[in-house]
Amino acid sequence: MELGMVGLGRMGGNMARRLISKGGHRVVTYDHDDEAVKASEALGGSGATSLENLVEKLTPPRAVWVMVPAGDATESTIDSLLPLLSSGDAVLDGGNSNYKDTIRRGEKLHQHGLNFMDVGTSGGVWGLTEGYSLMVGGDQDVFKRLEPIFQTLAPAPDRGYGYVGPSGAGHFVKMVHNGIEYGLMEAYAEGFELLRAKGELGLDLAQIAQIWRHGSVVRSWLLDLTAAVLEDDPKLESLQSYVQDSGEGRWTVEESIELAVPAPVIALSLQMRFRSRQEQPFGGKVLAAMRNQFGGHAVRPSES
C-alpha cells in the first residue's frame, strides 16, 4: 500500500521504518528536518520537500498519517493539508490528541469530503522491533481499506490492533490506556520503594524483579523494563525523582469526573507525578507547622 507520513520524530520515524522494512509499503515522508527525510530515503522511502510535494506524490484516494505533537502542531498540520487533499482522501492522527479535538477535527474534514481516522498508538521506542498497539477510530470502511498498514505496524497481522468505534474513539481508548499505565507504574514504584526501605533484609531489587517476571500475577512489560533498569543501576543513582506527564492522565481523571465514574488509583497516581516535581513542597511545610503548633512536635528548620 501507499502512505504519506508527516512527522519523522522518534516514533514517526520508527513507524515509517517498520512500514518500509516489514511491509514493503510505499511510504512518502515529510518533516521540517531535512536530515530525517534523508534518513527515511536511505531506508527506501520517498522523501518530499513540502506538504504540497507529499500530496503530489500520492495516488488518490490518498492516506496521510500525521505524527506530530498533539495540540497546535497537529491542528496547523491538518489545516495545511485540508486544501491540498481531494474528496475521499484520509488523514490519520497517530498522536496523543484529546479525543474531543479529534471529534471536532473529524467533523471539519467530513465537511470537505475527507475522512479522518484517529489512531491511538502505544509502543514507544520498542515499537520498531516489537510492533505497535493501535486503537483506531473513524469510518469503518476506511479502516478496512487501510488495514494492511495497521497490520504491518502491529505486533502481528492478527493481533495488537483494531477498529474501536467512530471518530474520537481511538484517542479516547488510548487516553484511558495511558491512565491505566499511570496507575500500574505508581504501584510498581511504591512496591519497590517499600522493598528498598527494608534495608536490614539486604534485598536485591533487580533479582526480585527478575523473579516476578516469570509466573507471577504481576508480571508485565513494565516489569520487564523495570528489571532491566534495576540491573543497570540498582540504586537508580543516575536519576532524579522527577516524573513528567503528557496530559493524557489529566484528561482521564477529568473524564472520570464528568462521567461520575470513580478512578481513585489513576487520580492518585497523577497527583504523585505532580508531587515528584516539587522540591520542599509547601504543603509538607504546612503539615510540619501545624503539628508543631498543636502538639509541640519537633520540626526541622530550613537549611537556608
Side-chain angles (χ1 to χ4, degrees):
M1 284 196 69
E2 187 180 73
L3 180 73
M5 177 72 76
V6 180
L8 299 174
R10 185 169 60 180
M11 174 112 38
N14 281 345
M15 294 176 81
R17 288 176 64 187
R18 187 174 176 89
L19 286 168
I20 295 167
S21 63
K22 290 190 173 293
H25 301 283
R26 178 173 181 265
V27 182
V28 183
T29 61
Y30 171 70
D31 192 278
H32 290 304
D33 182 357
D34 293 337
E35 292 303 314
V37 176
K38 291 177 182 177
S40 73
E41 289 179 318
L43 294 168
S46 176
T49 57
S50 65
L51 289 179
E52 291 84 355
N53 186 228
L54 178 138
V55 171
E56 289 170 359
K57 288 189 173 187
L58 295 171
T59 305
R62 307 173 184 87
V64 180
W65 190 306
V66 176
M67 204 66 190
V68 301
D72 293 340
T74 296
E75 192 80 27
S76 62
T77 301
I78 292 173
D79 285 346
S80 297
L81 284 168
L82 254 178
L84 305 176
L85 298 173
S86 305
S87 178
D89 291 347
V91 175
L92 299 86
D93 177 10
N96 284 332
S97 294
N98 188 302
Y99 82 96
K100 295 178 181 178
D101 289 334
T102 297
I103 293 173
R104 173 179 54 78
R105 290 168 184 153
E107 292 172 348
K108 179 167 63 174
L109 267 67
H110 181 72
Q111 292 173 2
H112 289 78
L114 303 174
N115 297 295
F116 189 54
M117 308 295 291
D118 50 301
V119 188
T121 305
S122 180
V125 297
W126 295 92
L128 175 61
T129 55
E130 303 297 320
Y132 299 90
S133 174
L134 305 171
M135 300 141 261
V136 188
D139 185 277
Q140 193 163 16
D141 289 335
V142 177
F143 167 80
K144 291 178 180 177
R145 174 166 68 86
L146 300 176
E147 192 166 8
I149 296 289
F150 306 134
Q151 290 175 322
T152 301
L153 289 172
D158 60 346
R159 62 180 180 271
Y161 78 97
Y163 175 79
V164 296
S167 182
H171 282 151
F172 183 83
V173 173
K174 177 55 164 48
M175 177 192 76
V176 176
H177 162 283
N178 280 25
I180 294 170
E181 177 186 295
Y182 278 42
L184 291 172
M185 291 173 67
E186 180 62 26
Y188 280 126
E190 292 176 9
F192 279 102
E193 183 168 14
L194 189 59
L195 291 170
R196 185 174 184 271
K198 198 66 172 175
E200 64 266 31
L201 295 183
L203 300 175
D204 184 336
L205 303 192
Q207 179 206 24
I208 292 168
Q210 289 293 346
I211 293 171
W212 288 352
R213 288 183 60 213
H214 306 283
S216 164
V217 295
V218 299
R219 65 187 184 272
S220 73
W221 185 50
L222 282 173
L223 182 60
D224 294 344
L225 299 176
T226 304
V229 170
L230 290 171
E231 196 74 41
D232 292 338
D233 186 2
K235 296 183 179 179
L236 301 184
E237 294 174 327
S238 62
L239 299 175
Q240 292 186 24
S241 179
Y242 186 101
V243 187
Q244 193 55 270
D245 73 284
S246 63
E248 298 230 325
R250 302 185 191 209
W251 299 340
T252 305
V253 173
E254 290 170 1
E255 198 68 28
S256 76
I257 294 171
E258 288 186 21
L259 296 174
V261 173
V265 171
I266 295 174
L268 286 173
S269 67
L270 175 64
Q271 296 294 329
M272 289 301 293
R273 293 199 178 193
F274 297 157
R275 178 65 83 180
S276 77
R277 301 170 210 163
Q278 297 179 317
E279 294 184 12
Q280 292 294 322
F282 186 74
K285 294 183 179 183
V286 173
L287 287 173
M290 287 190 294
R291 197 162 179 266
N292 174 260
Q293 287 295 311
F294 70 70
H297 300 285
V299 295
R300 293 185 180 182
S302 173
E303 293 181 358
S304 60

